[in-house]
């Protein structure tokens, strides 16, 4: 394969230094569980973490709760939402835009202060009320795009609030799972400074944060007073270690410096198993893809080019490259999903048909198609992006498409996704390689909503399709499961038929851990629950 072209690498991979894995000087009755994240730094712990969904996995759900949470207790079925800080909710029968939440009683923040309706409104104000003292634009940028439906909210009584959406939206409840709740008392104790709050954060989650060393580790302890007794962590202490380089993570696991690693490089899986390590895989609501810039001037503005690119990819070779730890994509979800539908465009490997489409679009041996794609050097859900993109580069060359890459770190690519492709620093970029979660309708699906561009959402490529917008309206007006599934299937049909992205593979999400780790259950979810894990 021809090597990927590089103009620059921003904020390179963090080195694996001795200090990052130094023994944790904490009194404890059992060894800590040490987890190596595929990040270059500890996510910001201010109830709105950076670093995408991996940041939310570690910097969100471990220390904080939301109104709704994911049930990640089983590995043999897809996760669903369950009550979190809201013990129940309902749609107002007089107004289907108004959702009423009954808040859980007796919950306390890690600092001992009470969670109640006032704390809930304070958190909502921190995101939506620009003149509120607790409003902080950098933090809000990590949260607000996940809560695009919220128009207003109010306190009804000490344990009840109402949230009004800007239009009827049966899928709104999923958005509430991204609203992490922080302690107003701790924020005030930090002098009204979110940066200081993040150094010693306070949420209501199953873990308390006891120490943060930037770029080295975050030390957590089990919250023995957690309101869900079944999810009090089985391990007293947990240490999160950022190691962005995949080979360095493997080396750390082999040497016993960490006990569990995220995003295992496929070529290391056989030898890790031979060494007595456990390697878990599971179905994962996720597709590894290029998000495409469809604005005028981009080659991907042409449907024929988008379809040709999808037909030019040898996905079987990609799965082989990944050691079988992936599944070839035929769309955003697997064909067995109730959301797959019946697309008329079949995503497969057909170079002859791809060349025909490129010829119709005006390209050929004497007029090649130059494209520039932003990719990450690593990060959650990115799998092994450099060799994977090298294979795409080689495949697309067969249809006269010459691909060059802009390689950045994961934090940078997430920031670029939020900025959108019209941002001045992104001129000339035709795609961005960020894995797309398909866990629920408000995440990897609304990224094609023509109204949800920066700053309202993360429609990076300014996708603008009347058929997609119509299908999304159908989803939002569906309030029961059967209607929602039918509406999602219709949307998926449109996205595949329009080749809205370059769909490549579905990750099987390998994690590796030592034989000393017991009780961990890998859920069919982008997020994971580490509270069941214990050290032997």
């Amino acid at each position: 394969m021809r090597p990927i072209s590089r103009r620059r690498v921003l904020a390179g991979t963090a080195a694996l230094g001795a200090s990052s894995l130094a023994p944790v000087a904490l009194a404890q009755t059992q060894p800590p569980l040490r987890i190596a994240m595929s990040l270059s730094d500890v996510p910001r712990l201010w109830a709105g973490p950076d670093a995408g969904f991996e940041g939310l996995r570690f910097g969100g759900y471990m220390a904080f709760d939301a109104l709704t949470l994911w049930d990640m207790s089983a590995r043999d079925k897809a996760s669903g939402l369950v009550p979190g800080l809201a013990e129940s909710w309902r749609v107002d029968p007089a107004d289907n835009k108004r959702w009423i939440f009954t808040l859980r009683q007796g919950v306390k923040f890690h600092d001992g202060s009470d969670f109640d309706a006032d704390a809930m409104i304070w958190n909502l104000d921190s995101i939506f009320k620009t003149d509120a003292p607790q409003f902080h634009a950098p933090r809000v940028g990590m949260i607000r795009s996940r809560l695009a439906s919220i128009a207003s909210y109010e306190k009804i009584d000490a344990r009840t609030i109402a949230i009004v959406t800007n239009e009827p939206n049966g899928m709104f409840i999923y958005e509430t799972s991204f609203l992490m709740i922080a302690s107003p008392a701790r924020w005030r104790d930090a002098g009204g400074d979110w940066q200081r709050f993040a150094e010693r954060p306070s949420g209501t989650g199953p873990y308390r944060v006891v120490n943060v060393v930037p770029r080295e580790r975050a030390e957590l302890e089990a919250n023995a007073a957690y309101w869900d007794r079944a999810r009090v962590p089985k391990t007293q202490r947990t240490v999160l270690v950022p190691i962005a380089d995949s080979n360095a993570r493997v080396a750390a696991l082999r040497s016993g410096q960490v006990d569990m690693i995220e995003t295992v490089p496929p070529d290391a899986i056989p030898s890790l198993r031979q060494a007595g390590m456990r390697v878990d895989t599971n179905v994962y609501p996720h597709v590894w893809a290029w998000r495409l810039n469809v604005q005028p001037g981009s080659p991907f503005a042409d449907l024929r080019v988008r379809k040709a690119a999808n037909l030019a990819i040898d996905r079987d070779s990609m799965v082989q490259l990944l050691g079988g730890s992936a599944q070839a994509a035929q769309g955003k979800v697997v064909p067995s999903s109730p959301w797959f539908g019946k697309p008329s465009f079949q995503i497969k490997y057909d170079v002859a048909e791809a060349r025909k489409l490129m010829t119709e679009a005006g390209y050929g041996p004497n007029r090649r198609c130059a494209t520039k794609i932003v990719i990450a050097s690593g990060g959650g859900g990115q799998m092994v992006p450099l060799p994977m993109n090298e294979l795409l580069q080689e495949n697309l060359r067969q249809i006269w498409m010459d691909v060059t890459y802009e390689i950045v770190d994961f934090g940078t690519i997430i920031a670029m996704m939020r900025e959108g492709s019209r941002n001045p620093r992104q001129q000339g970029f035709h795609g961005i390689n960020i894995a797309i979660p398909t866990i629920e309708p408000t995440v990897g699906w609304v990224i094609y909503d023509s109204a949800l561009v920066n700053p309202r959402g993360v429609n990076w490529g300014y996708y603008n399709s009347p058929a997609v917008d119509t299908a999304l309206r159908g989803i939002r007006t569906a309030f029961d499961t059967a209607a929602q599934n039918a509406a999602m299937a219709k949307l998926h049909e449109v996205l595949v038929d329009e080749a809205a992205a370059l769909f490549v593979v579905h990750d099987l999400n390998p994690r590796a851990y030592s034989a000393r780790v017991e009780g961990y259950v890998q859920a069919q979810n982008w997020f994971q629950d580490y509270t069941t894990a214990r050290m032997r």
Side-chain angles (χ1 to χ4, degrees):
M1 296 180 187
R2 185 187 299 177
I4 291 176
S5 60
R6 296 170 170 83
R7 182 160 69 86
R8 68 177 187 273
V9 178
L10 302 180
T13 302
L16 177 61
S19 62
S20 68
L21 295 176
V24 181
L26 297 170
Q28 50 195 335
T29 59
Q30 63 178 176
L33 171 65
R34 300 160 299 175
I35 304 173
M37 308 175 288
S38 59
L39 298 173
S40 59
D41 200 356
V42 176
R44 278 182 282 195
L45 293 159
W46 57 10
D50 52 358
F53 269 25
E54 186 167 7
L56 192 58
R57 183 188 301 147
F58 292 109
Y61 286 112
M62 296 190 84
F64 301 94
D65 289 320
L67 288 173
T68 55
L69 298 172
W70 292 98
D71 177 5
M72 296 177 283
S73 60
R75 65 171 288 117
D76 58 354
K77 63 179 181 179
S79 301
L81 288 181
V82 293
L85 292 179
E87 65 179 28
S88 64
W89 54 87
R90 60 188 174 90
V91 178
D92 189 336
D95 180 0
N96 64 0
K97 294 188 294 183
R98 189 169 186 260
W99 294 68
I100 299 171
F101 295 87
T102 301
L103 304 180
R104 194 174 296 278
Q105 291 184 296
V107 176
K108 290 189 177 293
F109 289 103
H110 299 149
D111 55 47
S113 61
D114 292 328
F115 167 75
D116 55 18
D118 289 332
M120 190 68 227
I121 295 299
W122 184 94
N123 274 269
L124 286 162
D125 283 348
S126 78
I127 300 163
F128 293 100
K129 191 175 180 181
T130 56
D131 60 349
Q134 66 269 34
F135 183 91
H136 180 54
R139 173 178 174 269
V140 170
M142 307 294 175
I143 307 170
R144 192 162 180 170
S145 64
R146 308 282 184 208
L147 305 169
S149 294
I150 295 180
S152 63
Y153 46 86
E154 63 175 326
K155 173 184 174 181
I156 297 176
D157 58 40
R159 63 173 306 203
T160 314
I161 67 164
I163 298 179
V164 178
T165 57
N166 47 36
E167 62 181 346
N169 185 1
M171 302 297 184
F172 168 66
I173 197 64
Y174 290 102
E175 294 186 23
T176 63
S177 68
F178 296 103
L179 178 56
M180 303 286 110
I181 306 304
S183 166
R186 169 63 192 132
W187 179 83
R188 288 190 289 268
D189 184 57
D193 185 330
W194 279 109
Q195 298 287 358
R196 287 182 59 197
F197 175 97
E199 294 169 5
R200 190 163 57 87
S202 176
T204 64
Y207 296 89
R208 300 172 185 266
V209 179
V210 295
N211 188 35
V212 178
V213 181
R215 302 189 74 84
E216 290 189 9
R217 65 185 181 273
E219 300 164 12
L220 316 178
E221 68 177 10
N223 178 10
Y226 189 53
W227 56 266
D228 184 350
R229 303 304 300 165
R231 293 192 62 237
V232 173
K234 303 300 185 291
T235 301
Q236 183 180 352
R237 297 293 172 115
T238 298
V239 183
L240 306 177
V241 183
I243 307 178
D245 182 77
S246 60
N247 292 322
R249 285 195 301 278
V250 171
L253 179 63
R254 287 183 182 279
S255 65
Q257 293 176 297
V258 298
D259 308 295
M260 176 181 285
I261 63 174
E262 298 271 307
T263 315
V264 183
D267 58 358
I269 291 175
S271 61
L272 284 172
R273 284 178 169 150
Q274 289 173 2
M277 304 295 177
R278 288 197 60 183
V279 180
D280 258 354
T281 59
N282 205 347
V283 178
Y284 196 33
H286 159 279
V287 61
W288 194 91
W290 285 0
R291 308 183 189 201
L292 304 176
N293 182 348
V294 297
Q295 297 176 85
S298 168
F300 295 118
D302 191 321
L303 173 60
R304 296 167 297 189
V305 175
R306 299 199 301 273
K307 284 187 172 181
N310 272 284
L311 293 171
I313 304 307
D314 182 356
R315 292 170 180 82
D316 289 341
S317 292
M318 185 69 78
V319 170
Q320 184 177 0
L321 171 70
L322 297 170
S325 63
Q327 179 177 345
Q330 297 179 47
K332 287 178 69 68
V333 294
V334 296
S336 61
S337 168
W339 296 351
F340 190 82
K342 297 179 180 178
S344 59
F345 175 53
Q346 184 180 358
I347 294 177
K348 58 184 178 179
Y349 186 40
D350 190 338
V351 175
E353 179 62 21
R355 286 180 169 177
K356 179 175 179 291
L357 288 165
M358 290 294 282
T359 301
E360 292 174 2
Y363 297 102
N366 298 320
R367 183 175 181 257
R368 300 183 68 86
C369 177
T371 60
K372 192 166 190 177
I373 311 297
V374 185
I375 68 175
S377 54
Q382 299 304 98
M383 304 175 71
V384 284
L386 300 186
M388 291 174 75
N389 276 295
E390 285 180 341
L391 180 56
L392 295 191
Q393 190 178 49
E394 181 180 284
N395 285 166
L396 292 168
R397 193 177 297 116
Q398 299 177 91
I399 62 167
W400 314 300
M401 185 177 290
D402 296 324
V403 182
T404 56
Y405 294 109
E406 182 85 358
I407 308 173
V408 300
D409 71 276
F410 190 60
T412 298
I413 203 169
I414 292 296
M416 294 174 77
M417 176 188 71
R418 292 194 173 102
E419 290 171 350
S421 57
R422 289 182 183 171
N423 185 278
R425 74 162 167 166
Q426 299 194 50
Q427 295 302 305
F429 295 149
H430 304 125
I432 188 168
N433 174 212
I434 301 179
I436 304 174
T438 57
I439 185 172
E440 47 88 356
T442 69
V443 178
W445 304 84
V446 297
I447 62 174
Y448 305 101
D449 187 330
S450 64
L452 296 183
V453 297
N454 178 275
R456 288 197 62 208
V458 288
N459 181 348
W460 177 84
Y462 289 78
Y463 203 84
N464 188 347
S465 163
V468 168
D469 288 344
T470 297
L472 284 167
R473 283 194 295 272
I475 293 169
R476 291 172 178 134
T477 56
F479 283 81
D480 67 85
T481 301
Q484 289 173 349
N485 285 343
M488 288 296 296
K490 177 59 181 175
L491 173 61
H492 187 256
E493 290 172 0
V494 175
L495 291 173
V496 173
D497 289 345
E498 293 188 0
L502 180 60
F503 304 109
V504 184
V505 290
H506 303 290
D507 191 0
L508 295 182
N509 197 21
R511 285 181 173 81
Y513 45 96
S514 82
R516 299 179 65 204
V517 179
E518 299 179 330
Y520 171 68
V521 177
Q522 181 151 317
Q524 294 182 22
N525 200 301
W526 191 289
F527 310 114
Q528 295 293 314
D529 185 0
Y530 300 95
T531 63
T532 60
R534 57 187 178 275
M535 292 298 296
R536 179 159 68 84

